[in-house]
Amino acid sequence: MNLNEYLKEYMINENIPILFIGAGFTKRYCKINGTSPPKWDELLRKIISSYSENKYHYELLEDEVIKLMNDEEKSIPAICYQKIAQKIEEEFKNSILRDKLLDKELQNKILSLYDKDKSISPMKIYISILFENIQLTNDPKLLEEIEELKKIANKPLIIITTNYDIFLEKEIFKEYYIYKGQELLTDSYFASIFKIHGCITQPKSIVITENDYQKMEKVQKVLNARLITFFAEHPVFFLGYSLDDLNIQEFMNNIFESFSANSEIIEKISKKFILIDWNKSENKTIVEDFTIMKAKTMPVKKIKTDNYLEIYKALNNFNINIDIKKFQFMQELFLVALTGDKEEKLDIVFASEYTGGKLPEKILVGAGYGTAFLAYDLIAHYSKILKIAKNDFPISSEDFFIKFLPIVRKGCGGTHIPIFHFFKNYNFEKELPEKSLKIIKHSLGKIIDLYKENMQNSTNMSYNTLKEILDSTLAVSKKEKFITH
């Protein structure tokens, strides 16, 4: 069946999708100095050409590397690229420090940045400069695809990419937070782009050599462990990857290892993981069975096509009801209040006045719209995403009474604010602000009124069993009062 039919049958009630985006995505929509962005091996050849005029230099390095590889390593091209990149990084550094780069203007530019921080590899500075020159295509067909893709710019839960460039955040997902390098180990997930191989805005974060991948492995495992529950609950679309890509193989292997004991989850995932396999001559969007092979066999779905416009239209059919800007706001509030740093993050942000964009660094709590979500609705409505434990409110009792309640305004309407939840841990030797006292007195007054009403009802009517109350003609709210009384 085609993709639209498949989504209607298997994903109509599914959660927000996750996008996994590779180098082929940028290669499709961008140019660098008028030419297509390089693939991994093309990038390595381009780096070599900056310091060597020998057109067989890459092949000589490749021969050296392959002689030292075992049979298993030889079967995986990406491992060979990593090892070649390791050698090139050393050669590039030696060349530029010995004034041997062929382009002297480029050499001076790289060295000026290297002099500011000598812990950064000159080769990675070169890569960051190269991808700085990336430009959007002017092909009308591809621009139409980009416009369609922008329509889903607030729909993916998260985006995971191995790309170094800033095309995604600059042109499409402009409201998403960006994480790279050690920043990947964040507690914030929703509406984020995880650049797992680094970014040109931070050359040190770029992952390309064998050493880089070894260092990245630990971070990758921690990140995968944190994200793994999302992969079981959300559809995942892979764009811009070849099916034998080592990154995809590793990813699928980790997923399989995490859920191998649960065949039901593996079967569920196999229906929701869809790989878009580029085929220049194919216009259909037929969903087919496919098996990813590495250490384990992982069944997934595949679409072999060049019709990306229909892919994006299908993604736009996901019925996403979350306001991404408001959710980002609440996620920031939750994390800052939960993790502390109160002395450094005491600014108050009013959610009712928030118009979108990234929040300031110094925030603690919000009022108006924010009051309702921080105190109550965040837990009620978004616990599935953030996995918040019941009654695990993201603020201390002291902060709640001293800083939070005094700024509560009428804008929060009749939203329940769990004042009495915080009483049990509050040190009443500390004086409460006048505004907090007024709110507490008002809440106590409501409880007294409710008690009096219940008492009055109980003198006029009496029930001996729970069944008598449930079978009575009382309104539901009245029945609840009798039961609790």
Side-chain angles (χ1 to χ4, degrees):
M1 64 181 72
N2 68 40
L3 180 58
N4 270 314
E5 294 171 338
Y6 185 83
L7 294 182
K8 286 179 183 178
E9 182 167 343
Y10 292 104
M11 298 189 190
I12 191 169
N13 296 316
E14 286 292 347
N15 276 320
I16 312 168
I18 292 171
L19 299 185
F20 215 116
I21 294 178
F25 188 85
T26 300
K27 198 172 182 67
R28 182 177 184 86
Y29 298 114
C30 297
K31 300 288 184 183
I32 296 179
N33 298 325
T35 61
S36 182
K39 296 185 295 185
W40 197 348
D41 60 325
E42 292 170 342
L43 175 59
L44 296 179
R45 288 177 182 275
K46 189 169 185 64
I47 297 169
I48 288 174
S49 70
S50 69
Y51 64 85
S52 174
E53 295 181 294
N54 183 349
K55 65 179 182 179
Y56 300 114
H57 195 122
Y58 180 89
E59 283 72 20
L60 291 171
L61 290 180
E62 186 177 39
D63 288 344
E64 287 181 27
V65 164
I66 290 175
K67 286 177 183 177
L68 300 175
M69 292 170 65
N70 58 43
D71 290 339
E72 183 180 356
E73 289 175 331
K74 289 177 183 177
S75 66
I76 306 172
I79 292 179
C80 184
Y81 295 152
Q82 293 172 20
K83 292 178 179 292
I84 294 172
Q86 192 69 51
K87 287 183 171 291
I88 293 173
E89 183 177 50
E90 183 178 349
E91 289 186 351
F92 187 91
K93 183 176 182 179
N94 287 335
S95 295
I96 196 169
L97 295 183
R98 288 180 167 85
D99 193 24
K100 296 291 180 64
L101 245 59
L102 302 177
D103 185 334
K104 298 306 177 184
E105 183 179 345
L106 175 64
Q107 176 172 280
N108 292 336
K109 186 174 182 180
I110 294 172
L111 286 176
S112 67
L113 294 170
Y114 176 71
D115 287 339
K116 294 175 183 177
D117 185 352
K118 290 185 170 59
S119 66
I120 304 176
S121 158
M123 183 181 78
K124 292 177 182 179
I125 296 175
Y126 170 84
I127 293 171
S128 68
I129 292 172
L130 175 67
F131 280 94
E132 275 179 359
N133 297 319
I134 199 163
Q135 293 178 324
L136 189 62
T137 180
N138 57 8
D139 184 317
K141 175 193 171 185
L142 298 179
L143 289 175
E144 185 183 3
E145 292 179 7
I146 292 293
E147 289 306 309
E148 189 64 36
L149 184 58
K150 286 179 180 179
K151 293 178 183 178
I152 65 166
N154 66 339
K155 290 195 173 184
L157 175 75
I158 55 174
I159 297 163
I160 302 171
T161 181
T162 50
N163 297 350
Y164 308 136
D165 60 81
I166 58 173
F167 170 59
L168 291 174
E169 57 265 45
K170 182 181 178 183
E171 298 291 344
I172 304 168
F173 303 100
K174 298 179 182 180
E175 297 292 340
Y176 279 54
Y177 297 143
I178 311 299
Y179 297 103
K180 63 262 185 186
Q182 290 299 319
E183 296 173 2
L184 293 170
L185 303 182
T186 176
D187 291 320
S188 175
Y189 292 110
F190 187 82
S192 299
I193 298 177
F194 291 89
K195 309 191 80 165
I196 59 176
H197 286 175
C199 180
I200 61 169
T201 60
Q202 189 179 320
K204 193 182 292 188
S205 69
I206 289 175
V207 176
I208 187 169
T209 69
E210 185 177 32
N211 286 348
D212 293 333
Y213 277 88
Q214 289 173 355
K215 290 175 184 176
M216 179 63 192
E217 189 174 350
K218 293 180 181 179
V219 175
Q220 189 74 57
K221 285 182 178 178
V222 175
L223 179 64
N224 283 347
R226 292 187 179 185
L227 294 175
I228 209 80
T229 52
F230 288 149
F231 301 139
E233 297 294 333
H234 296 264
V236 183
F237 290 81
F238 297 83
L239 297 162
Y241 286 101
S242 63
L243 299 182
D244 60 351
D245 192 293
L246 181 62
N247 299 306
I248 299 300
Q249 298 278 350
E250 290 287 355
F251 173 77
M252 292 299 181
N253 191 51
N254 289 333
I255 294 293
F256 186 92
E257 291 294 336
S258 299
F259 298 114
S260 57
N262 191 326
S263 58
E264 288 184 7
I265 291 183
I266 290 293
E267 184 179 355
K268 186 178 178 183
I269 287 174
S270 72
K271 289 186 173 71
K272 295 190 302 179
F273 277 31
I274 300 180
L275 282 76
I276 312 302
D277 183 19
W278 176 68
N279 186 319
K280 187 176 181 180
S281 59
E282 184 59 72
N283 199 47
K284 296 178 182 178
T285 58
I286 304 300
V287 180
E288 302 173 332
D289 292 328
F290 185 74
T291 301
I292 293 289
M293 298 292 293
K294 190 177 182 294
K296 305 291 181 182
T297 299
M298 181 74 190
V300 295
K301 300 297 179 183
K302 178 188 73 170
I303 300 173
K304 200 168 186 178
T305 188
D306 189 34
N307 192 353
Y308 282 72
L309 187 63
E310 291 305 312
I311 299 291
Y312 301 149
K313 286 180 178 178
L315 283 173
N316 201 28
N317 288 331
F318 275 90
N319 186 22
I320 309 301
N321 295 316
I322 292 177
D323 184 323
I324 192 170
K325 292 182 181 178
K326 286 190 173 73
F327 193 93
Q328 283 178 333
F329 173 85
M330 295 319 307
Q331 183 175 243
E332 286 273 339
L333 284 182
F334 173 80
L335 293 171
V336 173
L338 183 67
T339 56
D341 297 328
K342 304 294 190 298
E343 296 304 317
E344 296 180 9
K345 299 182 178 178
L346 291 179
D347 288 1
I348 303 300
V349 176
F350 294 96
S352 57
E353 299 169 2
Y354 177 62
T355 58
K358 191 162 184 177
L359 289 167
E361 290 184 3
K362 290 188 175 183
I363 62 169
L364 179 61
V365 291
Y369 183 92
T371 301
F373 277 80
L374 179 62
Y376 186 69
D377 288 348
L378 178 64
I379 294 169
H381 298 296
Y382 297 130
S383 60
K384 189 171 184 180
I385 292 176
L386 294 179
K387 304 295 181 186
I388 304 168
K390 188 177 181 182
N391 291 329
D392 184 16
F393 294 99
I395 190 169
S396 69
S397 293
E398 182 177 336
D399 282 338
F400 180 82
F401 286 116
I402 302 298
K403 297 167 184 170
F404 185 65
L405 275 186
I407 65 169
V408 171
R409 305 186 298 177
K410 292 181 180 179
C412 64
T415 304
H416 168 64
I417 300 174
I419 292 173
F420 299 100
H421 169 84
F422 294 95
F423 273 159
K424 57 188 177 185
N425 295 319
Y426 185 70
N427 178 8
F428 284 96
E429 293 180 1
K430 294 187 177 181
E431 186 176 351
L432 288 169
E434 184 63 28
K435 288 185 179 179
S436 292
L437 284 171
K438 285 183 179 180
I439 295 171
I440 293 169
K441 287 176 182 178
H442 178 70
S443 298
L444 286 170
K446 288 179 123 181
I447 290 176
I448 292 171
D449 291 341
L450 182 62
Y451 177 76
K452 287 179 178 178
E453 184 182 348
N454 282 340
M455 287 298 290
Q456 186 177 1
N457 286 337
S458 64
T459 58
N460 297 332
M461 304 178 196
S462 62
Y463 299 94
N464 297 318
T465 67
L466 180 61
K467 188 175 185 306
E468 288 181 11
I469 298 173
L470 295 174
D471 291 341
S472 71
T473 58
L474 290 172
V476 174
S477 59
K478 297 290 185 183
K479 289 180 183 179
E480 291 176 349
K481 290 175 182 177
F482 271 97
I483 292 170
T484 56
H485 178 67

